[in-house]
Amino acid sequence: MDCSGCCAIIASGICFLIFVTRFIHLVRLGNPKDLSQKSGDTKKAIKYSFTEAMMPKNKESAYLHLPTYVAGILYHIGTFVTLISFVAFIVISFTKISIPYSVSLIVATILAPAVISGFSILIKRIFSKELSLLSGPDDYISNIVTTMAQLFTAIFLLFPEAGDIYYIVMTLFFLWLPFGKTRHLMYFFFARYHLGYFYGWRGTW
């Protein structure tokens, strides 16, 4: 593995350690300390928070923007595929196992709608007055870095000679991941848990 690949591995290691540190900190904090009288079922509400509450009909305005909602789902799927692919590439680079072209083509095909969704969301964020007013630099940077990671993962799958630029992009992605809004990769789960706990405690879900 060349220098760019080593940089990507180091960056992913730094990213992983930061997330592990934050994960341990959040777990040690435990459940929210609520002084009000409990009047509901927190377990049921937490389950609802992760399932039915995520459906567009139960979200504040997602049902009014179904194309964007679907694009967001595809975009997040592409991000997880990108992360899994990186791990696979590293394992393969040390074991000298080759990926069948058919598998590379399938994964690249899965990433294609995610990349299109990422660019579409970015364009909408730029030209939509409502979104542009709510957006800060982090929103744009996180979108661009994540979309480029997905794009170059697909390119690398089909054109292995693009390895250098792929690993450079992934290095930037991993260095940004724990500091930008992309860190919701982990915080999402804690946020949904706390949301369910809060409303479940009060019996409103």
Side-chain angles (χ1 to χ4, degrees):
M1 179 172 290
D2 57 16
C3 182
S4 60
C6 292
C7 288
I9 292 176
I10 293 172
S12 65
I14 293 172
C15 176
F16 179 76
L17 288 176
I18 291 174
F19 272 124
V20 168
T21 301
R22 291 178 176 174
F23 178 84
I24 294 173
H25 173 69
L26 290 171
V27 171
R28 291 180 65 182
L29 289 176
N31 287 325
K33 305 302 186 290
D34 201 320
L35 301 180
S36 63
Q37 184 176 356
K38 185 177 181 181
S39 58
D41 187 339
T42 54
K43 291 182 179 179
K44 185 177 180 180
I46 290 169
K47 179 182 177 182
Y48 177 80
S49 179
F50 280 99
T51 53
E52 294 180 61
M54 295 298 295
M55 296 296 102
K57 63 184 179 67
N58 292 324
K59 296 177 77 68
E60 184 176 1
S61 62
Y63 67 94
L64 299 174
H65 309 280
L66 289 179
T68 302
Y69 179 82
V70 173
I73 292 175
L74 294 173
Y75 193 45
H76 283 78
I77 290 174
T79 303
F80 282 108
V81 172
T82 297
L83 292 170
I84 294 171
S85 297
F86 177 79
V87 175
F89 291 148
I90 299 303
V91 172
I92 289 170
S93 67
F94 285 104
T95 58
K96 305 302 181 181
I97 299 174
S98 59
I99 303 177
Y101 184 77
S102 58
V103 175
S104 296
L105 185 60
I106 291 172
V107 178
T109 302
I110 294 173
L111 286 169
V115 173
I116 294 172
S117 296
F119 282 121
S120 299
I121 293 170
L122 177 62
I123 292 171
K124 183 176 181 179
R125 188 179 294 280
I126 293 172
F127 291 100
S128 170
K129 291 182 179 180
E130 292 82 1
L131 282 178
S132 60
L133 287 173
L134 296 172
S135 302
D138 183 13
D139 294 288
Y140 298 101
I141 296 173
S142 294
N143 183 293
I144 292 172
V145 171
T146 303
T147 304
M148 294 303 289
Q150 296 176 358
L151 174 62
F152 279 95
T153 297
I155 292 174
F156 184 44
L157 282 162
L158 301 177
F159 306 99
E161 59 272 18
D164 285 342
I165 184 65
Y166 163 74
Y167 284 118
I168 291 173
V169 170
M170 292 305 294
T171 298
L172 296 175
F173 174 66
F174 282 119
L175 290 177
W176 181 259
L177 188 60
F179 299 106
K181 66 178 295 183
T182 43
R183 63 185 180 275
H184 78 264
L185 174 71
M186 182 185 72
Y187 283 98
F188 165 82
F189 299 98
F190 287 92
R192 298 308 298 186
Y193 176 86
H194 282 213
L195 188 68
Y197 189 95
F198 178 86
Y199 286 107
W201 185 278
R202 288 158 176 73
T204 54
W205 271 7

